[in-house]
Amino acid sequence: MNTRQKGQILEKYVCEQIKLKGLDPNPRPSFNSGATNTEKADIWTSMMILGQNAGIECKNQATIQIHEWWRQAKKLETLSKEPVLVFKIYGENLGETKALIYLDTLLELIKNQK
């Protein structure tokens, strides 16, 4: 399986989960995995995080490279998106997918639940 196919598996899973949770009725993987001039995130979604559109970067790779992946996700801030890094280690079950966000974002989300 090539890199693109691995990425598509995770991107489709993320879209399915967003739909199942009722957060966006029509999320979809970006054309060419965010490599276009118009959309840099891997997922097109109307999902909001603390009043900002979520900018989701997906990684399904065998080698963990959090620093590099987060650098890519952070670029989405320049497009007024809240960066979210979604990743899994290739070979893990999709249910073991993880998400990385700013600590402040996490704490604000928890605070807003009270």
Side-chain angles (χ1 to χ4, degrees), residues 12-25:
K12 288 177 184 175
Y13 175 75
V14 170
C15 289
E16 289 169 6
Q17 292 304 303
I18 291 170
K19 273 188 218 176
L20 284 171
K21 304 292 188 236
L23 301 170
D24 180 352

Side-chain angles (χ1 to χ4, degrees), residues 30-74:
S30 305
F31 174 74
N32 209 17
S33 190
T36 67
N37 289 331
T38 56
E39 179 61 55
K40 297 297 182 188
D42 287 337
I43 306 293
W44 284 338
T45 181
S46 63
M47 182 175 71
M48 303 293 282
I49 300 174
L50 301 175
Q52 278 194 295
N53 187 245
I56 302 173
E57 180 73 27
C58 294
K59 298 294 180 186
N60 183 6
Q61 298 184 10
T63 304
I64 297 175
Q65 298 178 31
I66 299 282
H67 187 320
E68 174 61 23
W69 299 343
W70 184 247
R71 185 188 62 74
Q72 290 176 348
K74 277 186 60 166

Side-chain angles (χ1 to χ4, degrees), residues 67-109:
H67 187 320
E68 174 61 23
W69 299 343
W70 184 247
R71 185 188 62 74
Q72 290 176 348
K74 277 186 60 166
K75 288 181 182 179
L76 298 170
E77 286 180 300
T78 63
L79 302 172
S80 298
K81 294 181 181 285
E82 183 67 33
V84 179
L85 171 60
V86 175
F87 68 98
K88 76 173 211 59
I89 307 307
Y90 182 68
E92 288 181 337
N93 294 323
L94 287 167
E96 296 182 52
T97 299
K98 295 134 191 88
L100 177 71
I101 58 174
Y102 284 118
L103 175 61
D104 189 58
T105 301
L106 173 65
L107 296 177
E108 287 294 327
L109 289 168

